[in-house]
Amino acid sequence: MPAKKAPLKASMPVSKVATVPPSLRSARGVANWKEAAQWLRARGIEDIECITPDLAGVPRGKMMPTSKFTSNTSLALPSAIYRHTISGEYPEETESFRYEPRDSDLKLVPDLSTLSVVPWESDPTAQVICDIVNSDGEEVSYTPRNVLKRIMGLYRERGWKPVVAPEIEFYLVAKNDDPDYPLHPPKGRSGRSILGGQGYSIAGINEFDELIDDIYHFSEKQGLEIDTLIHEEGPAQLEINLRHGDPIELADQVFMFKRTIREAALKHGIYATFMAKPMQSQPGSAMHIHQSVVNIVTGKNVFTNLDGSPSPEFFHFIGGMQRFVPNSLAMLAPYVNSYRRLAPNMSCPVNNAWGYDNRTTAFRVPVSDPQARRVENRLPSSDANPYLALAASLASGLLGIMKKVEPTAPTEDSANEGSIDLPRGLLEAIALMEDEPAFEEVFGKDFIGIYAGVKRGEFETFMQVISPWEREFLLLNV
């Protein structure tokens, strides 16, 4: 894919680099609390944001002075933040969805490998992603980062490590003060709103040259590495591709990239949105996930035999994707709006087929050499929590390997011309997730109950809103 330009490697002003030990010159991450104090002091950081993703992937946390942070002060959040909807409401309890009776504190544990500056703040500010533990120091199983860690642990038990590379699509839109009005593409440097049909257009990227420069600049300052950036098919729809790597690290990067891109857009007086389907009759936004698995000891691709041919694990991984991804779709397409993207004739797969270099299939095997053999999951939407989307996708493939699920034959032609093989709405997707016995084994019962309860609560909130379609066609006709 054509890249606009490669990000620079400098992480701090040249005048300061010489005074900082080599181990502290990195833009992102330190090894311990002593290095953290030195890293913050060298950059003159005054405040630090301790953040963690909630179920929606929204950053939650606390800000504090640097001096308090480095004194190892205990940080806590109420458990209720993992039980509210995207609109901030708290669903009614059910048999499987319960509130913690005392709404006890959960502790934030900073992961110092994620420490970085906040480049859009006027005052020197840093940020760090935190894990969540209970009062006994045990990981809280239903929090997104810990859900993905649990899946990583299942791979590790087999001597394996997954490798992923996400691709995130998003739209730039003109500011919209009234949610009753449709969204529109913003004006670019030409003074005109960009039209659709600009896939891979360099001119389309150049329309927002200064904004994209800020995205690269902000990313460089945080130690986030963009592989390529392209213009997609929708008007002012862009895609950022990240380099392959560890799933936790890549989920962290997507989490931070979303925030970075929104901030860069706001600086230029427009919005960046990761809604799956922000504009009617335009393509939706996906978060495609490329996946492979390597042997921890040898580093060899588990999907490839010694002679270079596809391994049984490769086919079982695909079989698992076909069998279990439809049941985990609520984690890959988490909102009512997500299913507007999963519609026929919208440049999106609506099946659970697989094929070689076939973009109409849900699971595409790109052309590659044997050691780069991988499977691309094309179903997740860009509104998904990256930790949960990666967890769902990797767990589905692993379950296929564990249960030796055989895939169908690869699809040679278009896979989108038959019936839709996926849940058509959020409630159906939630029910499929709850009814899959294997998911309690890999995700845990607590997570399934809490996630399903929150999603049902969001659906009920959505059902309280009367849409323009209903007023247009039902008001005077029924």
Side-chain angles (χ1 to χ4, degrees):
M1 294 182 180
K4 183 177 182 292
K5 60 183 178 181
L8 303 175
K9 294 298 182 182
S11 61
M12 60 187 301
V14 175
S15 60
K16 289 189 176 182
V17 169
T19 65
V20 180
S23 62
L24 303 180
R25 294 177 188 172
S26 170
R28 185 174 184 81
V30 294
N32 52 53
W33 281 98
K34 180 181 178 181
E35 286 191 2
Q38 294 173 330
W39 189 97
L40 294 164
R41 187 166 52 250
R43 289 159 177 78
I45 299 297
E46 298 174 1
D47 300 300
I48 187 158
E49 300 171 350
C50 299
I51 59 176
T52 195
D54 67 5
L55 287 186
V58 174
R60 307 282 177 182
K62 294 184 175 182
M63 177 181 278
M64 67 184 64
T66 300
S67 58
K68 187 174 182 182
F69 175 75
T70 53
S71 65
N72 206 10
T73 300
S74 179
L75 301 168
L77 294 174
S79 62
I81 70 163
Y82 291 100
R83 290 169 172 85
H84 65 63
T85 66
I86 191 67
S87 57
E89 297 175 335
Y90 294 88
E92 295 292 328
E93 286 190 330
T94 65
E95 183 178 345
S96 58
F97 175 73
R98 314 293 295 181
Y99 291 97
E100 206 281 329
R102 299 173 298 162
D103 192 16
S104 301
D105 278 344
L106 302 177
K107 292 185 177 181
L108 291 161
V109 179
D111 181 344
L112 296 178
S113 70
T114 68
L115 182 65
S116 67
V117 299
V118 183
W120 50 84
E121 289 287 354
S122 56
D123 295 327
T125 305
Q127 60 194 339
V128 65
I129 299 174
C130 299
D131 285 314
I132 302 295
V133 302
N134 61 23
S135 57
D136 296 325
E138 299 172 342
E139 291 185 345
V140 178
S141 63
Y142 54 78
T143 61
R145 211 165 184 253
N146 287 338
V147 171
L148 180 53
K149 285 186 173 183
R150 178 175 177 141
I151 303 305
M152 294 289 289
L154 295 176
Y155 276 90
R156 192 162 49 249
E157 288 174 4
R158 290 160 177 78
W160 298 340
K161 178 180 178 179
V163 178
V164 300
E167 303 171 347
I168 313 105
E169 298 171 348
F170 61 96
Y171 274 90
L172 301 174
V173 297
K175 278 194 171 181
N176 180 278
D177 297 327
D178 190 336
D180 280 339
Y181 287 91
L183 298 173
H184 299 284
K187 293 180 180 179
R189 66 176 185 173
S190 66
R192 294 185 175 185
S193 295
I194 193 168
L195 301 176
Q198 301 294 318
Y200 291 86
S201 166
I202 298 300
I205 292 176
N206 290 339
E207 280 289 306
F208 305 100
D209 215 25
E210 291 184 2
L211 186 156
I212 292 169
D213 282 344
D214 279 333
I215 291 175
Y216 277 113
H217 176 70
F218 287 168
S219 299
E220 171 200 334
K221 291 293 184 181
Q222 297 171 88
L224 303 174
E225 190 170 358
I226 298 172
D227 192 16
T228 58
L229 185 146
I230 67 169
H231 196 289
E232 269 290 350
E233 286 296 317
Q237 185 187 31
L238 305 180
E239 176 184 288
I240 282 181
N241 299 333
L242 306 183
R243 296 191 65 182
H244 63 274
D246 175 82
I248 297 291
E249 293 178 8
L250 267 298
D252 286 343
Q253 288 196 41
V254 175
F255 176 56
M256 299 309 300
F257 264 122
K258 284 188 172 184
R259 190 178 187 212
T260 297
I261 292 165
R262 288 192 190 100
E263 291 290 341
L266 285 173
K267 180 180 174 183
H268 292 268
I270 60 178
Y271 292 154
T273 180
F274 296 87
M275 281 180 65
K277 185 77 167 178
M279 288 187 277
Q280 188 172 316
S281 302
Q282 296 295 343
S285 291
M287 182 173 64
H288 300 153
I289 302 172
H290 292 253
Q291 307 155 102
S292 59
V293 181
V294 298
N295 184 294
I296 293 174
V297 175
T298 66
K300 299 295 185 181
N301 191 334
V302 172
F303 290 166
T304 299
N305 291 320
L306 291 176
D307 62 1
S309 61
S311 69
E313 288 80 7
F314 170 72
F315 291 110
H316 292 153
F317 188 94
I318 293 173
M321 299 285 284
Q322 291 186 296
R323 165 67 180 81
F324 294 103
V325 162
N327 291 54
S328 64
L329 196 64
M331 298 167 68
L332 307 173
Y335 302 103
V336 172
N337 179 262
S338 310
Y339 296 84
R340 301 188 190 281
R341 169 182 166 262
L342 296 171
N345 305 316
M346 274 295 148
S347 304
C348 175
V350 289
N351 55 72
N352 69 339
W354 76 282
Y356 293 100
D357 199 22
N358 188 339
R359 283 185 169 84
T360 70
T361 61
F363 313 116
R364 169 179 170 257
V365 179
V367 176
S368 68
D369 62 63
Q371 276 309 307
R373 182 172 279 117
R374 62 193 186 275
V375 181
E376 178 192 13
N377 184 353
R378 297 178 58 80
L379 288 178
S381 48
S382 62
D383 56 1
N385 181 323
Y387 300 92
L388 299 184
L390 287 172
S393 193
L394 292 171
S396 296
L398 181 60
L399 284 169
I401 294 174
M402 292 165 59
K403 299 178 183 298
K404 294 182 169 34
V405 179
E406 295 294 337
T408 64
T411 300
E412 300 293 340
D413 300 315
S414 174
N416 266 355
E417 295 180 355
S419 60
I420 297 177
D421 300 320
L422 302 169
R424 293 296 287 128
L426 183 59
L427 283 185
E428 183 184 350
I430 294 167
L432 284 175
M433 181 179 71
E434 290 180 305
D435 291 342
E436 177 50 65
F439 284 174
E440 283 195 14
E441 175 186 353
V442 293
F443 299 125
K445 185 176 181 180
D446 285 347
F447 169 75
I448 296 294
I450 290 172
Y451 190 78
V454 167
K455 290 298 152 187
R456 282 202 172 89
E458 289 175 350
F459 181 82
E460 293 304 324
T461 302
F462 170 81
M463 290 299 290
Q464 296 173 17
V465 179
I466 308 302
S467 70
W469 185 94
E470 293 163 276
R471 290 191 290 270
E472 174 73 17
F473 296 104
L474 303 182
L475 182 67
L476 301 178
N477 292 331
V478 296

